[in-house]
Amino acid sequence: MYARLIGTGSYLPEKILTNAELATRVETSDEWIASRTGIRERRIAAEHQMTSDLALKAVERALESAGIAREEIDLLIVATTTPDNTFPSTACLLQEKLGVHGFPAFDVQAVCAGFVYALTTANAMIKSGVAKCAVVVGAEKLSSIVDWNDRGTCVLFGDGAGAVVLKASETPGILSTQLHADGRYSGILKAEGRVNHGAVVGNPFIYMEGNAVFKFAVRALADVAEKTLAAAGLQKSDIDWLVPHQANLRIIESTAKHLGLPMEQVIVTVDKHGNTSAASIPLALDEGVKSGRIKPGQTLLLEGIGGGFAWGSVLLKF
Ligand code: UT7
């Protein structure tokens, strides 16, 4: 039994924040941001829009593309690092917004690796017979935890959501998955603020040692790609599309080079979306599918990495 991806959907908030606009707020420039990261613009959610609102729109679009009624869902997993509330989970709030109830719904917190963690979890639950029709979402409102005075981080992040529908199938599907984490690196990328006795304790904004993260990501992503291919008995040349986490164009190019893939076989959305953490992979996937580049039967490698450190990848037949 395989978990097969039968639909994708995504949602981006209306407001576009360009590099030029950011340059009026902090000491930066379009040239610096574009040349160091590949980012040109990002989307910012409205004040009233919560992560579950962004997720709802992405899920509705994914269900439509899959031709599935919401009543058929029997598992809902939301990957997010910006939940609506401390609790209930964003997945439970989303379930209520979808208007269907009873089946398991929970959040996965693995920051920018969240979507591959959530997809791997859904895959395991489908393969073991626990679920037959799962919806997996990556959704973020990162603008709420960005320090808009810190030029080192505020130029990087954006808001958005992406979702996929997975169905139990005898036709392949997800071929192999790999997850890793190393808590020794928890200090180089974090938002450590927490609520304690009614007050926020610690820095509530994203803190990142960019260079250290960059070096770790390049190494870890190359390694995990090889392990995922080996687990499925496939070669680098079998990959039709790389759908990577969208943090930095230079990291994406380095991964593609390691895999021997020309950039024409890589889905890049970082220029338009910035880094949307758990949402970035399903947003890129949906863009690849809706633009007609990703076609049925093709082999896709999805890769994510972020705070924790947590990273992983999923190899699948679309
Ligand atoms: O999603 C999780 C994974 N996250 C990532 O993968 C992010 C990984 N890291 C990166 O993408 C890069 O490290 C950054 C884009 C964040 C930074 O690029 P960098 O080439 O590593 O730059 P840097 O941090 O070494 O900074 C170089 C210079 C510094 O100035 P000095 O000390 O050389 O005078 C910074 O202060 O660039 C300065 N700088 C900026 N200048 C203009 C930092 N941010 C900005 C800015 N505009 N926005």
Side-chain angles (χ1 to χ4, degrees):
M1 189 59 76
Y2 290 95
R4 215 169 141 244
L5 227 144
I6 58 160
T8 64
S10 63
Y11 173 75
L12 290 162
E14 258 171 55
K15 185 179 165 34
I16 296 173
L17 179 61
T18 63
N19 290 350
E21 264 178 278
L22 275 168
T24 66
R25 300 188 194 177
V26 289
E27 207 183 323
T28 190
S29 63
D30 176 48
E31 198 283 324
W32 192 96
I33 303 169
S35 64
R36 300 278 178 134
T37 70
I39 301 167
R40 293 274 178 196
E41 60 187 44
R42 71 288 292 142
R43 299 297 182 104
I44 304 294
E47 200 54 42
H48 68 273
Q49 279 183 311
M50 304 301 282
T51 296
S52 62
D53 297 316
L54 310 182
L56 176 65
K57 289 202 159 71
V59 171
E60 285 171 342
R61 289 171 184 177
L63 288 170
E64 199 184 324
S65 89
I68 289 280
R70 56 188 71 192
E71 288 72 22
E72 291 179 58
I73 304 171
D74 62 7
L75 172 67
L76 176 62
I77 309 181
V78 176
T80 186
T81 201
T82 46
D84 289 20
N85 307 121
T86 303
F87 73 84
S89 69
T90 302
C92 284
L93 299 173
L94 174 61
Q95 195 198 52
E96 166 55 7
K97 284 179 182 173
L98 281 163
V100 282
H101 311 105
F103 52 85
F106 57 92
D107 288 2
V108 164
Q109 162 58 302
V111 201
C112 303
F115 188 74
V116 289
Y117 265 70
L119 205 50
T120 298
T121 306
N123 179 48
M125 290 177 77
I126 286 176
K127 281 178 94 88
S128 64
V130 174
K132 287 193 169 53
C133 181
V135 169
V136 179
V137 194
E140 301 281 10
K141 189 179 178 183
L142 290 168
S143 57
S144 62
I145 58 163
V146 162
D147 178 354
W148 291 101
N149 295 312
D150 174 13
R151 69 174 182 173
T153 53
C154 76
V155 302
L156 305 175
F157 300 99
D159 301 333
V164 299
V165 182
L166 290 171
K167 246 195 143 175
S169 165
E170 278 165 20
T171 315
I174 292 181
L175 304 173
S176 65
T177 62
Q178 286 278 315
L179 298 181
H180 298 277
D182 190 336
R184 286 175 298 180
Y185 296 88
S186 56
I188 58 174
L189 179 53
K190 58 186 179 180
E192 62 188 1
R194 65 193 160 85
V195 177
N196 189 40
H197 300 302
V200 176
V201 178
N203 179 6
F205 299 119
I206 297 174
Y207 166 88
M208 179 166 73
E209 290 171 28
N211 232 289
V213 171
F214 190 100
K215 283 184 195 143
F216 192 102
V218 166
R219 212 169 358 101
L221 290 176
D223 178 66
V224 81
E226 294 206 1
K227 287 191 172 124
T228 314
L229 282 167
L234 294 188
Q235 313 293 322
K236 291 174 180 175
S237 54
D238 292 318
I239 300 173
D240 292 303
W241 290 101
L242 173 65
V243 187
H245 171 48
Q246 311 281 323
N248 185 312
L249 185 60
R250 291 183 290 141
I251 296 176
I252 296 173
E253 285 170 345
S254 155
T255 308
K257 193 170 165 206
H258 183 83
L259 289 168
L261 284 176
M263 285 306 285
E264 289 72 33
Q265 282 173 257
V266 183
I267 305 294
V268 176
T269 52
V270 71
D271 53 332
K272 296 250 184 263
H273 302 171
N275 182 348
T276 56
S277 194
S280 94
I281 295 172
L283 269 165
L285 183 60
D286 190 44
E287 164 77 29
V289 172
K290 298 285 156 65
S291 64
R293 284 174 288 167
I294 296 177
K295 295 185 178 69
Q298 290 187 322
T299 302
L300 278 50
L301 183 70
L302 281 44
E303 285 197 316
I305 185 161
F309 252 69
W311 67 103
S313 69
V314 173
L315 186 70
L316 63 91
K317 267 252 178 283
F318 185 67

